[in-house]
Amino acid sequence: MTRTLGMAAVALTMLALPATGGAQTPPAGGGGGAVSFGADGGEYTSTGIALRGRAEVVQGQNRLRADSINGTIVSGDLTRVEASGNVYFVTPDQTIRGDRAVYTFANDEVVVTGDVILTQGQNVLTGGRLVYDTRTESARMEGGAGSSGGRIRGVFFPDNGGN
């Protein structure tokens, strides 16, 4: 029972990661409110949490989903989360897909690697590595090996005001 409660407490802390930068100020759209998590299995220790098999953390309209999600705990605080295998980070406006993601709370950055695809509406940007700032909701894409051939690529549709 204690292990389950401890895991739930850490998971609740971890759930703030997709929706808040620094767990203090939610970004525009989708942040705040109840948090939830799910996985086929999981473990909790004093130094970390591990969610395996269809792992997912959700807060508001933001979601992090992957085959596995591991969190690092230092001095009782969750400091870093690593997601691997079929990673999706979804906000109300954007979807980021990659093979691996690392979220570091100290700098509010999510780094997604491995054939990264960022979509926002009809706009699509691809590359090998994306750095996403959860505070400013800005993204920086870099090229890499794989299907992109070392280059970033994008298709953007200008907003013509509905005309």
Side-chain angles (χ1 to χ4, degrees):
M1 178 79 163
T2 302
R3 176 167 258 184
T4 301
L5 291 176
M7 183 173 173
V10 172
L12 290 177
T13 302
M14 184 168 82
L15 292 175
L17 76 92
T20 63
Q24 300 293 320
T25 307
V35 293
S36 62
F37 70 95
D40 293 336
E43 300 174 45
Y44 166 77
T45 67
S46 62
T47 59
I49 184 170
L51 301 173
R52 301 276 184 262
R54 298 181 299 172
E56 179 177 67
V57 292
V58 177
Q59 183 178 33
Q61 297 177 10
N62 294 334
R63 175 176 46 170
L64 175 65
R65 187 180 78 195
D67 294 338
S68 67
I69 298 175
N70 296 310
T72 302
I73 300 170
V74 176
S75 300
D77 293 327
L78 189 64
T79 59
R80 178 181 168 107
V81 173
E82 297 183 32
S84 61
N86 299 304
V87 172
Y88 287 87
F89 181 79
V90 181
T91 73
D93 298 323
Q94 299 172 334
T95 299
I96 303 168
R97 186 218 113 6
D99 297 328
R100 177 175 157 79
V102 175
Y103 181 92
T104 307
F105 291 93
N107 61 7
D108 296 315
E109 279 187 349
V110 178
V111 178
V112 182
T113 56
D115 288 326
V116 179
I117 302 169
L118 168 65
T119 59
Q120 183 173 6
Q122 292 181 307
N123 302 326
V124 178
L125 183 63
T126 63
R129 182 175 186 266
L130 175 90
V131 178
Y132 181 79
D133 186 312
T134 62
R135 222 181 9 235
T136 63
E137 298 181 352
S138 62
R140 182 180 73 242
M141 183 71 81
E142 300 171 7
S147 62
S148 66
R151 297 173 50 92
I152 66 169
R153 299 181 188 275
V155 176
F156 297 94
F157 295 87
D159 180 14
N160 62 8
N163 295 332

